Amino acid sequence: MADKLLIYLALLIGTLLLDAFVRPRSGRLGEPWLRSPAGTWLHSGLVTAVFGLFLTLCANAPASAALTLALVALFTTVSNAKRAMLGEALVFSDLALIGAVFRHPQFYLSALKPSQKLAIVVVALVAPALLWWMFVPELAGHIQGLLLLTAGIGAIWLSLRCPPWSRLATEPDAEADLARHGLIATLLLYRARWRQTDDPVPLAPIAGVADPHELAVIIQCESFADPAELFGDPALALPGLALAREDAWQWGNLLVGGFGAYTMRTEYGVLFGRNEDDLSFRRFDPFLTALGEATYALPNRLAGWRSVFVHPHDMRFYNREVIMRAGGFADLVGEDRFDPPSAGEGRYVTDAAMADAIADLAHAADEPTLLYAVTIENHGPWEAEAGNRPDDLKQGYLRLVRNSDAMLTKLMTELAGLRRPATLVFFGDHRPSIPGVSVPGGARHTPYVIVRIDAEGRCVRREGERTDLTPAQLHHAILGLLTNAPED
């Protein structure tokens, strides 16, 4: 028993040392490694529970401690890698995406170095084998593990409901809270606050359609940013974006909340119109609670409109197949409606194919119709034709963002040719994260344009209408234009 206690204490010290390497660290003078006592308590409670779980399974204290330490090391590695690439440490909602990591690893593992990927693979293979090899058929050891597991979970459950823990992290400030309390404590605190957040009061649809032939096309373009601004080179300006701004009813910067990822945050803001302050702890992955806010979705607000959601990817990703139907979309056009990309076209359905599909849907629409499309061709990581230097990756991005720009140009032409009132909204979901070229820490905004076309195919302009908006504000701007109603 004494040996197990020493192993347990050594494990706690080891995991606290690992947590000290999680960025951001405390910035207090003379205390660069210390977390708060309250955070250290929550950290210790979870480590106790995990150690108890492994001990319950194998009754081997050294093996259980090694596995627990490896798990904390894994969280440390992933969090630091994510922060280096996206400017944000691991958050509790990321754990909901574990299944997606295995279905679509290319979206996530690009943030890790080869050595880090190898370490994860080794841990995944060694952990089950270690449990089996070190299994001890000793009932007392298994019972001790179960007691530790119960004690750890009980301590966390009770602590989160009592002062001082119940007064911690009442408003989302992930950077400050992680630096103050540590990674594991912040994950626990934020999940608890998230679960305490209630659904908002339901909204009613807005009656009335401006024109029975009205058409609205909203394009959420993957990693679309203005390269002239992104790379500080006016020669890289996109002709389609420039033309759209010249003909726009309104244009400006879209003040997205994330960098390099988290498409669903921007998507949710534009579709559901809920800003980050209103979402509170739901802001980190608003799709997790979207079904409780379905009346806020743009299709549900637009009485008398038929709405179609287009995305050439697995609709199970982010649970879109359920969320979009609950949000009022009558039809979902997914990956099964597109041919796979040909050799040399990249990994994903091209923006050119998306433009063709959207144009076909627009031509076929015989009633007021909203088409909301999410593109994917320009998803990272970006491949260079030769070499792997930052500039080579930049050229790979430029090739794809020009394809997106060509899609914008084509859609403007196609909608003008329909000779029916139409509104085209085009925006980037976030900036690209390109190592050595486009990195977190600076500006995050992307471009957006709103182009209005009359029944004669002419663009309707307003003078001086550059306006910077959040995704939620863009939602309300669109809603006001399509219903002639005041913006919420």
Side-chain angles (χ1 to χ4, degrees):
M1 187 66 182
D3 290 344
K4 289 180 181 178
L5 180 60
L6 289 175
I7 290 171
Y8 169 70
L9 292 175
L11 171 64
L12 285 180
I13 294 171
T15 59
L16 288 169
L17 288 174
L18 281 172
D19 185 70
F21 285 93
V22 178
R23 300 181 184 90
R25 303 184 181 103
S26 171
R28 293 173 293 178
L29 185 63
E31 300 179 356
W33 303 100
L34 297 182
R35 309 294 189 179
S36 70
T40 301
W41 171 261
L42 290 177
H43 173 104
S44 301
L46 188 60
V47 168
T48 299
V50 174
F51 176 67
L53 173 62
F54 287 130
L55 195 60
T56 302
L57 294 174
C58 71
N60 187 309
S64 299
L67 290 170
T68 304
L69 194 66
L71 191 59
V72 175
L74 175 64
F75 271 64
T76 299
T77 299
V78 171
S79 184
N80 285 344
K82 182 192 165 196
R83 190 169 186 271
M85 188 172 189
L86 305 180
E88 179 180 301
L90 198 68
V91 292
F92 73 96
S93 56
D94 291 329
L95 303 182
L97 298 173
I98 290 176
V101 172
F102 292 99
R103 288 196 300 270
H104 308 286
Q106 71 275 21
F107 289 167
Y108 302 96
L109 298 184
S110 60
L112 301 177
K113 299 176 182 177
S115 59
Q116 293 171 330
K117 294 178 185 177
L118 178 61
I120 291 174
V121 171
V122 169
V123 169
L125 293 176
V126 168
L130 187 62
L131 277 173
W132 176 263
W133 181 52
M134 301 294 287
F135 179 84
V136 176
E138 177 188 299
L139 182 60
H142 296 285
I143 293 175
Q144 290 167 1
L146 185 60
L147 291 175
L148 281 175
L149 172 62
T150 304
I153 293 175
I156 293 169
W157 183 88
L158 186 61
S159 298
L160 290 173
R161 287 158 178 78
C162 300
W165 297 275
S166 60
R167 296 194 294 263
L168 298 177
T170 56
E171 297 293 333
D173 187 352
E175 282 276 297
D177 286 327
L178 196 154
R180 187 179 302 116
H181 306 303
L183 176 62
I184 290 176
T186 302
L187 293 175
L188 291 170
L189 286 166
Y190 274 46
R191 184 182 182 278
R193 303 295 172 258
W194 171 75
R195 287 177 60 85
Q196 295 163 1
T197 306
D198 296 326
D199 292 336
V201 176
L203 294 180
I206 299 177
V209 180
D211 187 291
H213 303 292
E214 184 85 13
L215 183 67
V217 177
I218 303 175
I219 309 296
Q220 175 183 311
C221 193
E222 174 64 42
S223 299
F224 186 83
D226 182 353
E229 180 179 1
L230 189 64
F231 304 123
D233 184 355
L236 298 177
L238 299 171
L241 179 61
L243 177 63
R245 284 170 169 169
E246 183 180 330
D247 289 340
W249 172 268
Q250 182 175 309
W251 65 278
N253 292 332
L254 189 65
L255 308 177
V256 302
F259 175 87
Y262 290 117
T263 291
M264 78 289 195
R265 294 180 185 174
T266 304
E267 184 174 328
Y268 196 85
V270 176
L271 271 177
F272 286 74
R274 297 257 290 153
N275 62 49
E276 290 191 350
D277 288 339
D278 291 335
L279 287 168
S280 187
F281 287 90
R282 293 183 172 189
R283 72 180 63 183
F284 298 103
D285 187 348
F287 273 36
L288 293 177
T289 47
L291 295 179
E293 305 180 3
T295 61
Y296 285 70
L298 194 58
N300 279 337
R301 302 297 311 277
L302 292 172
W305 287 70
R306 178 175 176 268
S307 299
V308 181
F309 185 82
V310 186
H311 183 40
H313 192 54
D314 186 349
M315 286 286 186
R316 294 172 299 173
F317 202 43
Y318 292 138
N319 199 29
R320 283 189 177 102
E321 63 181 353
V322 175
I323 291 171
M324 297 309 164
R325 292 198 184 281
F329 285 101
D331 294 306
L332 306 183
V333 178
E335 61 182 346
D336 58 320
R337 298 276 291 273
F338 293 86
D339 293 329
S342 303
E345 286 186 335
R347 294 168 296 171
Y348 305 113
V349 172
T350 66
D351 288 349
M354 282 290 286
D356 289 339
I358 294 164
D360 289 343
L361 290 168
H363 278 277
D366 56 2
E367 57 186 312
T369 301
L370 167 70
L371 302 175
Y372 191 105
V374 179
T375 75
I376 197 172
E377 180 183 7
N378 199 17
H379 199 292
W382 290 272
E383 298 176 354
E385 294 181 3
N388 199 36
R389 298 169 303 173
D391 191 66
D392 297 322
L393 300 176
K394 171 183 168 182
Q395 295 305 317
Y397 172 78
L398 287 172
R399 178 176 62 83
L400 294 181
V401 81
R402 287 167 183 148
N403 291 346
S404 301
D405 189 64
M407 172 177 59
L408 172 58
T409 302
K410 177 171 182 174
L411 289 174
M412 289 180 63
T413 302
E414 291 284 347
L415 293 179
L418 292 177
R419 298 296 192 268
R420 60 187 290 187
T423 300
L424 172 64
V425 182
F426 189 97
F427 64 92
D429 59 352
H430 53 72
R431 290 191 171 196
S433 177
I434 309 174
V437 178
S438 175
V439 296
R444 293 188 172 192
H445 63 263
T446 61
Y448 85 89
V449 290
I450 301 175
V451 178
R452 305 209 77 191
I453 299 170
D454 64 19
E456 302 301 320
R458 297 170 302 201
C459 292
V460 183
R461 305 179 183 87
R462 290 192 300 178
E463 291 295 330
E465 286 300 330
R466 169 174 177 156
T467 308
D468 295 344
L469 301 174
T470 65
Q473 289 170 334
L474 180 58
H475 165 100
H476 295 296
I478 295 168
L479 191 60
L481 287 173
L482 299 186
T483 61
N484 288 332
E487 297 179 13
D488 292 313

